[in-house]
Amino acid sequence: MNVLKFGGTSVATASAMGQVKDIIEKTNGSVVVLSACGGVTNRLLEAVRLAGNGQVSESAHIIQEIELRHLDLCRDLILDGESRWDAISKIKTVCVELRVFCEGVALLGECTPRSIDTAGSFGERLSTLIFWLYCRSEGMNTILFDAREIMRTDSNFTSAKINFNELQRLTTEKLIPLLTDNTTVITQGFIGADSRGITTTLGRGGSDLSAALIGAALSAHEILIYTDVSGIASADPRIIPSAKPIPEMSFAEARELSFYGAKVLHPETILPAVERGIPVRVLNTFAPDEAGTVIVSEATREHGICAVTLKRNCVCVTSHGLTFADAVAFLGRIANYTSEVYSAVIGESKCFAVIDTPKDTTALENLTNGAPSNTSIQEVTLLCGVGIGLNGHIATKFSESVSNFSPFAILYGASDVGIIALLPPQSADDALRAVHQIIE
Ligand code: ASP
Ligand code: MG
């Protein structure tokens, strides 16, 4: 049993949906989790916000645009006349529900988080409906399954948390019986329902999490996340055009890479699967034969750095000559000031922390009690080499490769899966190229 998830760009157009169908046939997809067609969720949220402001005609205009977009998909995808008419009428019915809902919000004159979730859910409801009708018209054995039947969440609208025990119970009761030979179940990412059956969402970009949760509840053999890039690259291809996907990486590495700036999928979203030993493969809908990247709990590949990333727009806040206790208090105040501390070090003569560049640095300058002149603030870019088995030999090679780029500090040993260099922003790209050479 496998779970396939396709993001917004994979279902944005008729030709993309055609690719998705081919992939499902080739991989014998058991459960397919879809996002809304690219851009639709944003438009829905805009429509409901306008409705809440009383801007009824602007809201209706957006709904009209969403309806037309989905009707066009029906026309492009479903060739048989009768099936096409059936699809068009089904889409129109859902859009009537959406229109009436937004009119209701306009009457109330307020757009609550609960309303936002109901409106937002229409994107996935429409994309799965069309895709299912399309697969059916092509003779595939598919079932459309409403994710709200199993995705039981709390009532924390717009970022609801799943009740995994309930998900597992409901999956066993309602989803597993549908998964007989050769049937593909198509369902929505992102959406759920609370114990009263009211629609919730898991938060923006929540479809990956949906796929991981459903995969975990099913004890799937693997989860395939299809996006528009071929896995997780060894570096940002805009800086290193030759960067290649990393065949296999551990969850800890993926998390480190994302923490230090790489635009990989949000690793936390796949944690429910990785924790249960289910591999998560990141693949490309538009190049499905490329191997992509598999994320596992423990990587088995050869030790070393596999990827390098830059965290830009940081500052390093340094204080000199503090006692250990004062240094701890100083770093504590920095942590109170911002939730994102990328590294913090206490040495004998100085201590420092690296954080996102704040809009205004005056508050930071006053963080050293009594002696603000002791604090200095410097713009830095963090370069993080991510890998496993990072021994002294690897750290030496890393240090040598960044040595020409005036690093302020190199942090080895602070993380099991990363070595970090603090660099002047202007030399960071060149340093990244140099580090990438040692992993090629
Ligand atoms: N459609 C939702 C969003 O745009 C969920 C997702 O795509 O993962 O946030
Ligand atoms: Mg998305």
Side-chain angles (χ1 to χ4, degrees):
M1 218 176 317
N2 57 12
V3 174
L4 278 59
K5 181 260 168 178
F6 296 88
T9 47
S10 302
V11 289
T13 62
S15 76
M17 282 201 181
Q19 306 254 34
V20 171
K21 182 184 79 71
D22 292 346
I23 291 169
I24 296 169
E25 285 179 318
K26 273 204 189 124
T27 54
N28 284 322
S30 318
V31 176
V32 173
V33 175
L34 300 185
S35 286
C37 304
V40 168
T41 309
N42 286 343
R43 296 301 276 158
L44 286 165
L45 300 186
E46 183 66 9
V48 72
R49 190 186 62 80
L50 288 166
N53 277 342
Q55 291 168 268
V56 189
S57 62
E58 288 86 343
S59 167
H61 190 79
I62 295 178
I63 296 169
Q64 175 84 6
E65 166 206 305
I66 292 172
E67 176 167 6
L68 287 176
R69 179 162 170 197
H70 288 91
L71 291 176
D72 279 346
L73 282 173
C74 281
R75 292 193 187 97
D76 292 345
L77 287 167
I78 303 174
L79 304 178
D80 166 64
E82 207 172 314
S83 312
R84 183 192 285 181
W85 278 114
D86 174 49
I88 288 174
S89 104
K90 285 190 164 72
I91 295 294
K92 284 189 169 169
T93 306
V94 177
C95 290
V96 167
E97 194 189 322
L98 170 62
R99 199 167 284 119
V100 169
F101 178 77
C102 285
E103 283 165 10
V105 169
L107 276 178
L108 279 172
E110 76 170 335
C111 173
T112 61
R114 175 172 162 178
S115 302
I116 292 173
D117 277 358
T118 296
S121 72
F122 279 87
E124 274 70 10
R125 289 175 55 196
L126 285 164
S127 66
T128 49
L129 175 59
I130 292 198
F131 186 70
W132 169 65
L133 290 164
Y134 164 53
C135 291
R136 208 179 58 165
S137 75
E138 295 283 311
M140 274 170 77
N141 187 2
T142 52
I143 295 174
L144 178 62
F145 182 78
D146 193 323
R148 292 170 294 184
E149 300 254 343
I150 56 171
M151 296 291 280
R152 176 68 55 79
T153 68
D154 62 16
S155 306
N156 190 7
F157 297 103
T158 73
S159 52
K161 292 274 162 305
I162 204 85
N163 177 335
F164 192 77
N165 288 338
E166 278 297 277
L167 167 61
Q168 199 142 40
R169 182 182 70 75
L170 292 164
T171 299
T172 309
E173 185 187 314
K174 301 185 178 191
L175 180 57
I176 291 180
L178 302 177
L179 294 170
T180 50
D181 284 353
N182 267 327
T183 311
T184 300
V185 168
I186 296 165
T187 193
Q188 303 82 22
F190 183 51
I191 72 174
D194 70 7
S195 56
R196 295 168 298 167
I198 296 163
T199 300
T200 56
T201 69
L202 305 180
R204 295 306 306 272
S207 297
D208 291 337
L209 178 58
S210 300
L213 287 165
I214 293 172
L218 282 171
S219 298
H221 157 69
E222 66 178 348
I223 297 174
L224 310 177
I225 304 233
Y226 282 89
T227 122
D228 50 8
V229 290
S230 296
I232 298 172
S234 56
D236 183 343
R238 284 167 302 185
I239 309 176
I240 313 264
S242 64
K244 300 237 163 23
I246 303 152
E248 184 208 54
M249 71 190 312
S250 70
F251 176 75
E253 288 175 295
R255 180 151 62 186
E256 187 92 347
L257 205 54
S258 147
F259 186 68
Y260 288 106
K263 301 269 176 298
V264 298
L265 81 171
H266 291 301
E268 301 311 320
T269 62
I270 59 163
L271 186 58
V274 177
E275 270 177 347
R276 290 167 179 81
I278 303 170
V280 176
R281 215 172 272 282
V282 183
L283 295 155
N284 188 347
T285 301
F286 307 99
D289 295 330
E290 286 179 18
T293 298
V294 61
I295 303 170
V296 292
S297 48
E298 298 286 338
T300 55
R301 56 156 221 280
E302 208 181 307
H303 289 183
I305 294 175
C306 70
V308 55
T309 175
L310 296 178
K311 181 87 196 162
R312 299 182 199 269
N313 301 320
C314 292
V315 290
C316 180
V317 191
T318 306
S319 188
H320 300 270
L322 296 181
T323 63
F324 186 77
D326 284 342
V328 170
F330 170 73
L331 295 180
R333 284 194 290 277
I334 292 180
N336 278 336
Y337 171 86
T338 168
S339 55
E340 294 293 10
V341 177
Y342 299 109
S343 49
V345 171
I346 298 181
E348 173 55 27
S349 65
K350 70 174 183 182
C351 67
F352 63 80
V354 179
I355 61 172
D356 280 324
T357 303
K359 285 202 185 68
D360 173 14
T361 53
T362 41
L364 281 180
E365 277 152 15
N366 294 325
L367 283 179
T368 324
N369 257 357
S373 59
N374 272 350
T375 308
S376 60
I377 297 169
Q378 191 170 25
E379 286 181 11
V380 293
T381 291
L382 294 182
L383 181 153
C384 182
V386 170
I388 48 174
L390 300 177
N391 55 28
H393 176 65
I394 296 167
T396 305
K397 271 174 80 181
F398 176 91
S399 304
E400 278 168 6
S401 64
V402 297
S403 61
N404 286 334
F405 306 98
S406 323
F408 304 124
I410 293 173
L411 308 179
Y412 164 60
S415 157
D416 290 337
V417 286
I419 308 178
I420 293 157
L422 275 60
L423 293 156
Q426 57 289 2
S427 69
D429 284 19
D430 288 333
L432 181 121
R433 287 186 194 98
V435 176
H436 197 262
Q437 276 183 356
I438 66 172
I439 64 179
E440 271 174 329

